[in-house]
Amino acid sequence: MSSSDSLFERAKRLIPGGVNSPVRAFRSVGGAPFFVKAARGATLVTADDRELIDFVCTWGPAIHGHNHPRIRAAIGAALENGTSFGTPNPLEVEMAELITRFVPSIQKVRMCNSGTEATMSTIRLARGFTKRDKIIKFAGCYHGHSDSLLIKAGSGALTHGHPDSAGVPASFARETIVLPYNDRAAVEAALTANPGQVAGVILEPYCGNVGFIMPDPGYLAFLRAITAKHGVVLIFDEVMTGFRIARGGVQEREAIVPDLTCLGKIIGGGLPVGAFGGRAEIMDLLAPLGPVYQAGTLSGNPLAMAAGIAGLRLLEEENPYQRLDFLGRQLREAVLGACRAKGLPVQVPQCGSMFSIFFTDAPVRDYATALRGDAKLFGRFFHACLAEGVYLAPSAYEAGFLSTAHDGVALTRACEVLSGAIAAL
Ligand SMILES: *Cc1c(COP(=O)(O)O)cnc(C)c1O
């Protein structure tokens, strides 16, 4: 039995499903997950000493590759001073200054410990600000696992066939209106049918949790205009896209100014961090200034701030976005070419360092069209790549990620493996 297999047996006895986050369990692609004991650059080292080229990048955070020396050094330096103070610390101020500079729509920001906390808190703020209760979200968008947002959700919830979670009271779910992404008429109709009742519209401005899907031209501007018209708070969940699609996220690339923004993943440099921020007028409703309560024992943790700050500063120094897009295009072309040669229908949406591979002939523009992708075929493709040392996300409904460590050699090798796996399907 391999080390991974025996670890998984031990884990299953004590941890539900053997994993601490469901999509890690490989349920949608079949087989058992491997355990990783180390990671560096673009490479994971498994418990069985296999080296894998990694396109999951810890589900987004590792934009500089794994275990970057600058981030490790920053954590080490912070560690010398202690792990948690329970008081304000200087690194929190530095982080707030960086975030507000990178993402100008964020006038004020609060740190928390996960993307889930960030989205949950923006929903509460939108409700507190508007004194309305209903929220609009879009099918297939995943915003973490808080009650109001686990309705027609993407990511692991979708992968495991539970886009609506058990344990969410129907009375909560009624406050969440779920609409198809990229459908303007649906938003107009929902706002007309619920006059003066909708507090916020939350979305992934580029979807990454139902596979990677980009908005139709003008869709985000439409959402900005119609929410402003109805006094509804527009919330961009950029937990995945923030600092990845551009330094200032999708909102920079698309020149849209949301009211509130959720951040996570890259902002922690690999440690558990989230943040949310936006218009000062809304953010100042947070306790201790205002009546909307939100808190966190470890929020603004010095180690996490040090890691995140080091990662953000590296982005500023290297400005890697053109290079990442070049790498992303190379991967996209390889997959398209191999599928064309094979006569296999495929869609490969890609922007910068995010991509998806959907085995379908129809363009993917929402949840319904994403589900048309051949998930069984994806499972075979996934395992063929893994056998040759390339790790894609273990689900047909997750985005893939590149990092600056996916240099020429790793990417060339990965493209060969992907092409070979497609040829053999
Ligand atoms: C990952 C993710 C979240 C949840 O973040 P966690 O840190 O896992 O709680 C929320 N929104 C989006 C868009 C995400 O990709």
Side-chain angles (χ1 to χ4, degrees):
M1 198 187 242
S2 76
S3 298
S4 280
D5 287 343
S6 71
L7 281 163
F8 195 44
E9 286 309 313
R10 280 164 60 199
K12 279 193 289 191
R13 266 176 244 139
L14 301 172
I15 305 171
V19 292
N20 282 316
S21 194
V23 74
R24 298 178 194 168
F26 273 34
R27 287 290 175 93
S28 95
V29 291
F34 55 84
F35 283 63
V36 168
K37 62 180 183 186
R40 55 179 171 264
T43 307
L44 298 176
V45 183
T46 74
D48 299 287
D49 290 316
R50 282 193 73 206
E51 295 205 350
L52 304 172
I53 302 173
D54 176 26
F55 288 102
V56 181
C57 289
T58 179
W59 302 93
I63 194 165
H64 302 294
H66 293 287
N67 207 353
H68 192 283
R70 282 270 292 275
I71 296 179
R72 203 169 58 230
I75 297 171
L79 187 57
E80 295 298 317
N81 298 323
T83 56
S84 177
F85 310 136
T87 66
N89 73 70
L91 294 170
E92 295 170 290
V93 186
E94 198 178 332
M95 177 63 104
E97 286 168 352
L98 270 176
I99 294 172
T100 51
R101 188 149 60 76
F102 283 17
V103 189
S105 75
I106 299 184
Q107 297 171 334
K108 287 201 174 176
V109 62
R110 178 156 289 170
M111 303 309 298
C112 52
N113 305 289
S114 69
T116 295
E117 283 183 47
T119 56
M120 179 181 84
S121 304
T122 56
I123 296 291
R124 188 176 304 139
L125 258 181
R127 287 173 167 157
F129 179 69
T130 58
K131 303 191 168 63
R132 303 171 182 175
D133 289 339
K134 289 196 190 298
I135 294 293
I136 290 178
K137 81 175 282 292
F138 298 94
C141 283
Y142 176 70
H143 305 292
H145 60 90
S146 74
D147 284 344
S148 317
L149 295 169
L150 262 188
I151 299 164
K152 282 268 181 290
S155 192
L158 170 59
T159 296
H160 296 130
H162 306 298
D164 307 295
S165 174
V168 176
S171 55
F172 289 18
R174 270 198 292 280
E175 305 297 347
T176 304
I177 300 167
V178 183
L179 302 177
Y181 186 77
N182 264 333
D183 182 340
R184 300 183 189 201
V187 176
E188 276 164 359
L191 288 172
T192 308
N194 299 276
Q197 296 175 64
V198 177
V201 169
I202 185 167
L203 77 157
E204 294 179 72
Y206 291 1
C207 303
N209 284 290
V210 57
F212 183 61
I213 301 179
M214 291 183 60
D216 293 341
Y219 178 67
L220 296 177
F222 158 80
L223 288 179
R224 176 61 286 181
I226 196 164
T227 48
K229 180 175 148 205
H230 289 265
V232 172
V233 177
L234 180 63
I235 306 167
F236 272 14
D237 178 355
E238 299 226 45
V239 168
M240 193 178 266
T241 53
F243 315 108
R244 182 168 278 283
I245 289 296
R247 201 182 76 172
V250 172
Q251 56 193 275
E252 176 189 310
R253 190 170 190 273
E254 300 275 349
I256 304 284
V257 181
D259 298 305
L260 294 175
T261 299
C262 310
L263 297 168
K265 298 197 166 121
I266 288 177
I267 208 177
L271 292 188
V273 180
F276 60 98
R279 276 165 59 194
E281 176 195 11
I282 305 178
M283 291 300 291
D284 282 347
L285 290 178
L286 280 177
L289 292 182
V292 177
Y293 197 72
Q294 187 277 340
T297 301
L298 291 176
S299 294
N301 174 268
L303 295 191
M305 294 303 98
I309 289 166
L312 297 190
R313 290 211 184 283
L314 261 178
L315 288 177
E316 184 160 45
E317 280 171 37
E318 294 184 352
N319 192 13
Y321 298 101
Q322 269 194 327
R323 199 169 128 241
L324 286 169
D325 191 51
F326 175 76
L327 298 174
R329 279 167 200 258
Q330 211 177 315
L331 185 122
R332 176 170 190 271
E333 289 306 318
V335 172
L336 286 177
C339 287
R340 212 177 298 123
K342 176 89 180 164
L344 193 64
V346 74
Q347 306 293 323
V348 190
Q350 174 262 334
C351 177
S353 57
M354 292 180 75
F355 66 93
S356 270
I357 302 170
F358 294 102
F359 292 113
T360 172
D361 52 11
V364 175
R365 48 191 302 282
D366 58 14
Y367 178 79
T369 45
L371 291 190
R372 283 194 212 143
D374 188 338
K376 278 220 173 68
L377 190 65
F378 182 89
R380 281 169 48 212
F381 171 64
F382 167 85
H383 279 292
C385 294
L386 188 56
E388 291 300 320
V390 171
Y391 176 49
L392 297 169
S395 163
Y397 311 116
E398 296 284 355
F401 299 99
L402 291 128
S403 77
T404 53
H406 288 75
D407 54 11
V409 183
L411 194 69
T412 307
R413 171 67 193 145
C415 288
E416 280 168 20
V417 168
L418 295 178
S419 303
I422 289 165
L425 279 176

